Amino acid sequence: MTDSPILLKFGANLSQIRKQKKLSQADLASISGFDQAYISLLERGLRNPTLETLQVLAVSLDTTISQLVGE
């Protein structure tokens, strides 16, 4: 488990935006090129994504990095 508030917030934002787009974790994995298990770990705040990963996810979800990490 993580105690990092920013990773938890990012994970919650990622999950929320993904669901708003009506995508499953598997759908997002397919679009982004990441593994579904990695998407799950990100959403649970268990992995710290790189800036490059944030960019790929933002593009894949047609959103911005700010929306993924913002309050």
Side-chain angles (χ1 to χ4, degrees):
M1 285 261 154
T2 183
D3 292 330
S4 172
I6 193 166
L7 290 179
L8 293 173
K9 182 62 179 172
F10 163 73
N13 290 346
L14 177 61
S15 177
Q16 179 183 27
I17 293 168
R18 175 182 57 76
K19 289 173 183 175
Q20 286 173 348
K21 306 282 183 174
K22 300 188 183 336
L23 296 172
S24 67
Q25 288 181 348
D27 293 334
L28 179 56
S30 178
I31 293 166
S32 67
F34 296 119
D35 190 84
Q36 184 272 327
Y38 183 63
I39 301 294
S40 175
L41 290 169
L42 289 171
E43 288 187 358
R44 291 183 285 145
L46 299 176
R47 288 292 180 269
N48 189 359
T50 64
L51 287 172
E52 187 174 279
T53 296
L54 292 175
Q55 180 64 30
V56 169
L57 291 170
V59 168
S60 298
L61 290 167
D62 191 31
T63 191
T64 65
I65 291 174
S66 295
Q67 289 176 319
L68 286 173
V69 298
E71 293 291 325

